[in-house]
Amino acid sequence: MDIIIRENGLNVAFHVREDRRVELVDFSSSDIESNFLTPLSEDTDITGQTHQFLSVHISGESTADLHGFKHMTGSASQTFLYQDHSLTETAAGKELTLHLISPDKLEAFYHMEFFRNTPVVRTFVTLRNISGRDLGLEYVCSFYYQGINKNGTLPFYDKTELMVPYNSWCNEAQWQSIDIRRVGLNHMNSHGYNTPDHGNNRYYYGNVGSWSSCVHLPMGMLKDKETGEISFYEIDYSGSWQIEFGTATGSGLYIALLGPNDESDFYKNLAPGEEFTTVPAAFGTAVGDESTATAALTQYRRAIRRPNKDDEDCYVVFNDYMNCLEGDPTEEKILPIIDIAADLGCEFYCIDAGWYDAGFWWNRVGEWEEAPERFPNGLKKVIDYGIAKGLKMGLWLEIEVMGIACPLADRLPDDWFVMNHGRRRIDNKRYLLDFRNPEVREHCTGIIDRLVRDYGISFIKMDYNSTVGIGSDLNTDSRGLSMLEHYRSFYEWLDSIYEKYPDLIIENCGSGAQRMDYGILAYHSLQSTSDQTDAYNTSHIVANVACAVTPEQGGVWVFPYEDDREHIIYNMVNGMLLRPYISGLVWNLSKECIDVLREGISVYKDIRADIPSMTPFFPLGFSKVEDPVLAFGIQTPDSSAPTSISSAPTEGFAYLSVFGPEADSADIPLPFEVISAEVIYPASIDCEFTVGPAPAAGCSSEDSSPEEGKSLLHVKFPSDKCARVFKLVKG
């Protein structure tokens, strides 16, 4: 029996064998000709190999084959037997549920959710112990598929390009493309004389710890250079995760998407009647490129995200930290900045770090009481002053930690904190609260209640500058499990806060973007995309970061530190197509520069209503740090309403930011035909540009052979280190 689902540009097929084992035999774009995976066998020998889709290992049982460290031969992986399935309508689309049971009496419910008009599925697995004994889980894949790049005529190793998203503090969203043969996944261990059809090596990347994106983003892409298909995937979890590739039975390429597993000290003792559910993962495929993949993931992220007014209205926030007060706020300093923020047209003002302590506050955070030395007339007076100026007010918090010098920490029991080997874990002079403890959650709710009630704040910048390591070893089967339970408790706590305060805006700042994932961004409306302090370095992040976060959630610092017109423009262009956080040395700016900054905020307000329905595109591909020219855009579908920038109806339009960090001119090939173009920021254009037919591949711009349906934008800046925002009307 075959279970075939054709939804949203996807072809997905499961095959139920005669022995009732189930195989995932196709996951392809409907835009290409696809074939099912070739059956390995159809006998009833339960030890025979299959194209599995569940990958599960139970303690005390043998793996199915030689495997090294690969997660593709779990003891139970190929033993689950089909019971039944359902395909039901949901608010978002459809959901397939496969019900299976293993000989160990481990019951599995495999969920695959489909989202309307989005070539992405979300998968997760729930396991229930229906035996009469404990079963130890060492790993369970959230998504597993052995047919990557199986379509076409070439083997995967001759046509597969991996795209890996490196991420680091102040160096976010930097992609590297890798020929899969360069990481050892080639023909030598799958197609040789008298060799097995799969090797023991793998290529993997991931995260261990509570900063989900401190080394890589929890996502990736993979290109089939023969068929034009691109696969894309992410793991929606804020803790330990892993993405793994290797050769599979049948000489194919597999992908495994895992949350915490045996390599991040995960173990779960599943008692009789108990359940365990994996973290959710997303997987999709389409014909196209990085822009196609990012557009699909953007649609998916909007579908799973908490509906909220902030992501519809895209408010402008002034935050007084970056290149501004740098964590040293006082009443005397803040009041004149509030005046400037209100004059600029900002709508929120956030008082950042330091408001709660007179001096060096790093190791004393935790009680969140105002420092009278900083606010001799009370913090409430400053907040009321901002409100009287027409601003909504916010505060910085780092609620998940408590400094080792915080007096409250000495009065609390150890089970409030992450523990290792009988001691509280200390990371950079902070203890880390364990949200599994209901008293911790109650304490944190009380802090939010007090700040909202007593100060009238409506915005919180929620930071997270320390990590819990692998997890606590207190009251748990394993540290990896304790972290999973900690984060699930933290998500539930966030749910309760938003239920109580539905219009409260919380920015997710994890030391910049060290925790940028859709486990937490399914709740928060705003994400700090970097702590980068240099405007020109920031543009290298801006040019890529919409791969990881929807434009309306992607907060970017606009923090001028030079009294120079082009410097102000460059800063504003950085944030224009995402979410600008205004900051910087604004009191040092001349009237001309203040006017240019104010103009940028006004233009942003003109276009921001469009942003939540637009999808990103990268006309130059993902940028590299050495690139002298950068470009990033957002575009509408082909039928779209006009915006306030232009009253003429259009067949679709795009906004495009073009940067010249190391160049005074740029040629930007566009993936569509342009019938008109205008610079929308700044109003005094001060640059030259032309739009014409794009030359065909392999031809120079002077060649007379244009590429049908595409255009080339040529920009001549007044100098290097310039940037402009364009509106492009599509043909």
Side-chain angles (χ1 to χ4, degrees):
M1 177 178 71
D2 291 326
I3 303 168
I4 299 175
I5 304 171
R6 305 189 191 282
E7 289 283 331
N8 312 313
L10 295 175
N11 290 339
V12 180
F14 293 85
H15 175 62
V16 182
R17 297 157 45 114
E18 290 184 5
D19 59 13
R20 293 169 52 212
R21 288 186 288 173
V22 182
E23 303 176 301
L24 177 55
V25 293
D26 191 30
F27 197 118
S28 302
S29 168
S30 61
D31 290 332
I32 65 170
E33 183 178 344
S34 64
N35 300 305
F36 287 5
L37 287 169
T38 304
L40 299 175
S41 66
E42 276 288 353
D43 58 41
T44 56
D45 179 5
I46 201 66
T47 63
Q49 299 295 301
T50 68
H51 298 300
Q52 66 190 53
F53 71 102
L54 284 177
S55 188
V56 181
H57 188 65
I58 298 174
S59 297
E61 298 188 359
S62 174
T63 57
D65 204 342
L66 296 172
H67 66 95
F69 290 99
K70 294 160 70 175
H71 293 90
M72 49 85 74
T73 60
S75 62
S77 301
Q78 302 190 51
T79 68
F80 286 94
L81 301 181
Y82 173 85
Q83 304 299 307
D84 55 62
H85 76 278
S86 63
L87 184 63
T88 57
E89 297 284 341
T90 66
K94 292 183 179 179
E95 180 174 3
L96 171 71
T97 303
L98 287 165
H99 176 205
L100 309 99
I101 298 178
S102 77
D104 293 295
K105 297 299 181 184
L106 186 60
E107 189 173 30
F109 295 90
Y110 177 93
H111 300 270
M112 180 176 282
E113 299 175 332
F114 294 81
F115 301 87
R116 292 186 191 90
N117 305 313
T118 305
V120 182
V121 301
R122 184 181 232 201
T123 63
F124 58 95
V125 180
T126 295
L127 299 177
R128 177 186 299 150
N129 184 355
I130 57 173
S131 74
R133 62 187 179 93
D134 289 357
L135 296 174
L137 300 179
E138 296 190 9
Y139 65 78
V140 188
C141 286
S142 297
F143 179 80
Y144 183 94
Y145 177 47
Q146 292 187 349
I148 296 291
N149 286 5
K150 65 175 172 53
N151 300 311
T153 59
L154 296 175
F156 76 85
Y157 43 76
D158 284 340
K159 61 178 183 176
T160 297
E161 178 184 347
L162 282 170
M163 300 181 65
V164 181
Y166 286 83
N167 203 70
S168 181
W169 191 64
C170 299
N171 191 24
E172 288 83 2
Q174 300 302 301
W175 291 77
Q176 295 294 324
S177 296
I178 306 170
D179 185 320
I180 204 164
R181 293 171 295 194
R182 302 287 80 82
V183 294
L185 299 178
N186 54 49
H187 70 282
M188 292 179 66
N189 53 19
S190 56
H191 281 121
Y193 176 72
N194 202 28
T195 59
D197 56 1
H198 62 278
N200 292 334
N201 60 317
R202 61 176 179 170
Y203 176 78
Y204 72 101
Y205 60 94
N207 170 70
V208 174
S210 58
W211 271 352
S212 60
S213 53
C214 69
V215 180
H216 298 94
L217 296 171
M219 62 175 299
M221 300 179 188
L222 180 146
K223 291 182 178 178
D224 184 327
K225 293 185 284 187
E226 178 191 10
T227 66
E229 214 173 358
I230 185 167
S231 299
F232 34 92
Y233 30 88
E234 71 177 41
I235 299 170
D236 297 331
Y237 175 52
S238 306
S240 300
W241 57 269
Q242 188 166 297
I243 295 173
E244 177 178 295
F245 301 93
T247 48
T249 303
S251 302
L253 177 67
Y254 77 81
I255 182 173
L257 305 179
L258 302 100
N261 58 76
D262 53 326
E263 294 182 78
S264 51
D265 197 34
F266 170 82
Y267 169 80
K268 167 66 177 173
N269 182 66
L270 203 64
E274 194 174 6
E275 289 186 353
F276 172 78
T277 299
T278 67
V279 303
F283 186 86
T285 188
V287 172
D289 57 12
E290 300 94 316
S291 299
T292 311
T294 300
L297 287 172
T298 299
Q299 293 167 326
Y300 163 76
R301 292 161 181 164
R302 287 169 175 159
I304 66 169
R305 186 181 65 201
R306 176 183 65 91
N308 65 89
K309 189 171 174 56
D310 180 47
D311 286 335
E312 296 173 3
D313 293 342
C314 298
Y315 300 113
V316 178
V317 178
F318 190 104
N319 179 293
D320 62 23
Y321 185 83
M322 195 64 75
N323 296 337
C324 190
L325 297 184
E326 298 282 356
D328 188 25
T330 65
E331 176 182 328
E332 182 181 13
K333 292 176 181 178
I334 290 174
L335 294 182
I337 301 177
I338 285 177
D339 291 340
I340 297 172
D343 177 67
L344 286 170
C346 298
E347 294 154 309
F348 283 75
Y349 186 102
C350 180
I351 301 170
D352 208 279
W355 59 269
Y356 35 77
D357 201 287
F360 177 72
W361 44 262
W362 183 267
N363 64 349
R364 293 200 294 269
V365 296
E367 296 194 80
W368 310 114
E369 301 280 355
E370 66 184 83
E373 297 87 348
R374 293 183 179 275
F375 304 99
N377 297 300
L379 178 60
K380 183 69 161 58
K381 178 186 175 182
V382 175
I383 290 174
D384 286 346
Y385 183 84
I387 292 172
K389 287 286 184 174
L391 296 165
K392 295 184 178 181
M393 297 295 289
L395 290 171
W396 180 96
L397 278 181
E398 196 169 351
I399 205 165
E400 296 163 76
V401 305
M402 195 169 287
I404 59 174
C406 175
L408 177 60
D410 293 335
R411 304 195 298 269
L412 294 173
D414 284 344
D415 65 359
W416 274 52
F417 302 98
V418 171
M419 300 288 292
N420 284 164
H421 312 296
R423 298 179 181 273
R424 298 180 186 182
R425 177 179 170 84
I426 300 173
D427 188 70
N428 198 8
K429 306 177 185 66
R430 274 98 171 273
Y431 301 125
L432 300 124
L433 294 175
D434 189 338
F435 272 69
R436 295 179 299 162
N437 187 329
E439 293 179 350
V440 168
R441 301 195 296 274
E442 183 180 358
H443 163 78
C444 292
T445 299
I447 292 170
I448 302 297
D449 287 342
R450 175 168 54 83
L451 296 179
V452 172
R453 179 190 66 237
D454 294 352
Y455 294 106
I457 65 166
S458 48
F459 181 97
I460 294 172
K461 177 182 176 181
M462 194 75 82
D463 214 339
Y464 186 59
N465 290 299
S466 305
T467 69
V468 304
I470 294 177
S472 178
D473 60 11
L474 183 69
N475 301 325
T476 186
D477 294 339
S478 66
R479 291 187 293 171
L481 176 63
S482 75
M483 179 181 289
L484 177 62
E485 292 174 339
H486 159 82
Y487 263 126
R488 285 179 166 163
S489 297
F490 181 62
Y491 297 156
E492 289 175 5
W493 177 76
L494 290 177
D495 243 347
S496 71
I497 294 299
Y498 284 121
E499 184 176 356
K500 183 180 287 190
Y501 305 110
D503 293 328
L504 180 66
I505 298 171
I506 302 180
E507 172 197 343
N508 180 46
C509 179
S511 199
Q514 302 303 281
R515 185 168 64 174
M516 183 161 58
D517 64 81
Y518 272 82
I520 197 166
L521 283 175
Y523 298 91
H524 292 326
S525 63
L526 200 52
Q527 168 71 50
S528 174
T529 57
S530 186
D531 273 352
Q532 176 60 245
T533 59
D534 182 277
Y536 308 103
N537 289 341
T538 295
S539 62
H540 285 277
I541 297 166
V542 166
N544 291 346
V545 78
C547 70
V549 61
T550 66
E552 63 273 18
Q553 289 178 282
V556 175
W557 288 109
V558 175
F559 45 26
Y561 44 89
E562 296 177 9
D563 188 24
D564 174 81
R565 180 176 181 276
E566 288 295 344
H567 174 79
I568 303 297
I569 294 168
Y570 203 104
N571 265 278
M572 194 66 223
V573 174
N574 276 339
M576 185 73 79
L577 304 185
L578 295 152
R579 286 289 296 277
Y581 300 146
I582 312 301
S583 194
L585 303 177
V586 289
W587 58 88
N588 282 344
L589 300 181
S590 64
K591 181 181 183 304
E592 178 192 13
C593 286
I594 284 286
D595 287 345
V596 171
L597 183 56
R598 185 189 299 108
E599 177 199 339
I601 294 171
S602 177
V603 172
Y604 176 76
K605 289 180 176 179
D606 282 340
I607 70 173
R608 63 182 173 181
D610 299 320
I611 292 174
S613 62
M614 301 177 90
T615 55
F617 69 101
F618 309 92
L620 300 174
F622 291 139
S623 77
K624 302 290 189 294
V625 293
E626 65 272 18
D627 289 346
V629 172
L630 311 171
F632 160 66
I634 52 178
Q635 62 179 323
T636 64
D638 286 339
S639 57
S640 177
T643 71
S644 54
I645 291 293
S646 171
S647 60
T650 70
E651 292 301 319
F653 62 92
Y655 299 119
L656 180 71
S657 293
V658 181
F659 307 86
E662 302 293 339
D664 62 4
S665 64
D667 285 316
I668 311 298
L670 298 166
F672 43 75
E673 183 182 3
V674 174
I675 60 174
S676 71
E678 60 179 316
V679 174
I680 62 170
Y681 180 70
S684 177
I685 299 169
D686 296 338
C687 77
E688 301 172 5
F689 67 92
T690 59
V691 179
C699 299
S700 68
S701 58
E702 292 78 23
D703 195 286
S704 59
S705 302
E707 186 166 0
E708 185 177 355
K710 297 186 178 182
S711 293
L712 180 74
L713 173 67
H714 174 75
V715 184
K716 176 64 176 173
F717 295 119
S719 67
D720 65 353
K721 292 184 169 49
C722 291
R724 297 293 185 268
V725 180
F726 292 81
K727 181 179 179 182
L728 309 172
V729 178
K730 299 192 221 178

